[in-house]
Amino acid sequence: MALSIGIVGLPNCGKSTLFNALTHAGALATDYPYTSIEPNIGVADVPDDRLAVLSDMFHSARIVPATVSFVDIAGIAKGASRGEGMGNAFLGHIRQADAICQVTRVFGQTDDDWASQIEVITAELALADLQTLEKALPRLQKEAGLKKELRPRLDAWLEAQDVLQTGQTVHAAGLDPEPLRDLWLLTAKPFIHVFNCDQDALADEALVARLRALVAPAEAIFMDAQLEAELGEMSEQDAAEFRAEMGVAESGLATLAHVGYQTLGLQSFLTTGEKETRAWTIHMGWTAPLAAGVIHTDFQKGFIKAEIVGYDDLVHLGSMAAAKAAGKVRLEGKDYVMREGDVVEFRFNV
């Protein structure tokens, strides 16, 4: 399971620069609108310092981090739903993303400009979803007239239509996404807002607070996309030293990945050994058999037990043998709910 994020914003807001910073994919980024006529798609490793620690401890041959995929589409112009700019046909490229990352340009703009950027994108996504619903509704209405069991779904679709007509997103309205799943509505996804700031804006606490309030309760991230892209061209050591000098704790990629995990209710468990040390992505609340199924369906079908130790306990004690001697290694059954940072070995029947 890999986290997937669609990147949207007005033309020239810094989307493609951010995409390059996150993925090192080398997408064309210029001051001209509609640079990304075709979608840019890239996959990046999710930074996780725990993997190197476990790899050293178990002498692993390789490290396999979790990944996050990004899809950068053409800038969305006001009136895209009516065919302005490049229109909105390219929105189909992000319909299967897990979350929407909306990029807003801060530098050279005013409070009204920031709010306008956000309103335009939200409105265009809502209008695109309305078009999707208007095409799909007649068929469901006909089927629901013959099958009573479809009427709850029809009611949910009509409720979504009412919400979208007000310009609100389906997610912000708190609608149940399950009966809407087949529609792949853009506004049913959680939004993460990235404010593309210069260094002066990043240091302005009052400004950051205003921007955060503008999109609350959605998550807000503040970064200099151009600087992130330049740091991405440096060695890891040089980039880390530069961030330390600037007082920046982690890369933009790490921040966005962590916020994405939190927003979508995801977490990681770890496996390690001589062959590899690896991070696996699952939903919070998943049981051990479901987690085992992410590795291989046979692990879930034949699940017996999961041998589990917390990452912090394992590292503190220094070895699996020491963790077992201290009683920190547990055998858990089918009802065990996985925790962030569990280091696991699954036992199963083939």
Side-chain angles (χ1 to χ4, degrees):
M1 175 188 297
L3 172 63
S4 175
I5 297 177
I7 304 176
V8 301
L10 294 179
N12 300 328
C13 68
K15 293 185 303 79
S16 294
T17 301
L18 175 64
F19 175 84
N20 288 335
L22 298 173
T23 66
H24 304 163
L28 181 63
T30 73
D31 290 333
Y32 299 101
Y34 316 120
T35 299
S36 311
I37 294 175
E38 293 298 322
N40 297 312
I41 301 172
V43 178
D45 293 338
V46 176
D48 191 337
D49 294 338
R50 299 173 300 184
L51 298 179
V53 175
L54 291 178
S55 179
D56 287 344
M57 185 181 296
F58 289 86
H59 308 291
S60 302
R62 63 172 183 164
I63 292 175
V64 184
T67 59
V68 55
S69 62
F70 296 98
V71 183
D72 170 34
I73 62 171
I76 302 172
K78 185 176 183 179
S81 58
R82 302 189 303 273
E84 298 291 332
M86 293 297 297
N88 64 8
F90 47 80
L91 289 174
H93 295 299
I94 60 171
R95 287 201 176 276
Q96 295 191 33
D98 298 309
I100 301 293
C101 171
Q102 181 173 340
V103 181
T104 299
R105 177 174 173 168
V106 173
F107 52 89
Q109 308 286 302
T110 66
D111 289 56
D112 288 341
D113 293 328
W114 306 325
S116 177
Q117 289 183 64
I118 294 167
E119 289 169 2
V120 167
I121 298 301
T122 301
E124 291 301 328
L125 295 182
L127 287 169
D129 280 351
L130 269 175
Q131 291 175 350
T132 298
L133 269 168
E134 288 167 359
K135 291 178 181 178
L137 265 171
R139 179 176 178 180
L140 180 59
Q141 287 171 324
K142 183 177 180 180
E143 293 177 347
L146 300 173
K147 300 178 182 178
K148 292 182 179 180
E149 63 270 21
L150 293 178
R151 291 179 185 173
R153 180 186 296 182
L154 175 60
D155 290 340
W157 286 24
L158 292 172
E159 185 180 11
Q161 184 181 43
D162 289 341
V163 165
L164 291 167
Q165 286 172 341
T166 69
Q168 189 178 14
T169 69
V170 169
H171 186 267
L175 301 189
D176 181 1
E178 190 56 39
L180 306 171
R181 191 172 301 280
D182 292 344
L183 295 168
W184 296 101
L185 297 180
L186 295 163
T187 66
K189 307 176 191 301
F191 278 60
I192 301 169
H193 290 267
V194 170
F195 290 100
N196 185 13
C197 307
D198 57 22
Q199 293 304 300
D200 289 339
L202 288 172
D204 189 335
E205 295 183 3
L207 173 59
V208 168
R210 293 206 307 277
L211 292 170
R212 198 179 295 280
L214 190 61
V215 298
E219 293 285 350
I221 298 172
F222 303 86
M223 67 176 74
D224 183 337
Q226 183 59 47
L227 178 61
E228 289 291 336
E230 293 171 2
L231 287 172
E233 298 299 319
M234 299 181 183
S235 68
E236 289 187 14
Q237 181 177 347
D238 288 345
E241 290 176 357
F242 191 84
R243 290 185 197 283
E245 291 176 5
M246 299 178 64
V248 178
E250 60 183 5
S251 68
L253 170 60
T255 300
L256 185 53
H258 294 156
V259 170
Y261 269 55
Q262 294 168 11
T263 301
L264 293 164
L266 302 175
Q267 64 184 19
S268 297
F269 72 89
L270 311 169
T271 57
T272 189
E274 291 185 0
K275 181 179 179 181
E276 68 176 26
T277 292
R278 185 164 186 159
W280 305 85
T281 303
I282 59 172
H283 286 282
M284 293 180 183
W286 274 21
T287 59
L290 286 173
V294 173
I295 299 177
H296 198 288
T297 53
D298 287 346
F299 285 26
Q300 181 176 354
K301 292 176 182 177
F303 178 88
I304 301 174
K305 292 284 184 181
E307 185 178 75
I308 295 176
V309 58
Y311 170 82
D312 289 339
D313 287 333
L314 178 57
V315 172
H316 174 71
L317 292 165
S319 70
M320 188 64 77
K324 288 180 178 178
K328 297 297 183 180
V329 179
R330 315 179 307 275
L331 281 179
E332 301 287 359
K334 293 182 177 180
D335 295 331
Y336 175 73
V337 176
M338 300 291 293
R339 302 172 185 169
E340 170 63 36
D342 278 342
V343 181
V344 189
E345 181 179 348
F346 293 108
R347 299 181 183 180
F348 62 99
N349 285 321
V350 178

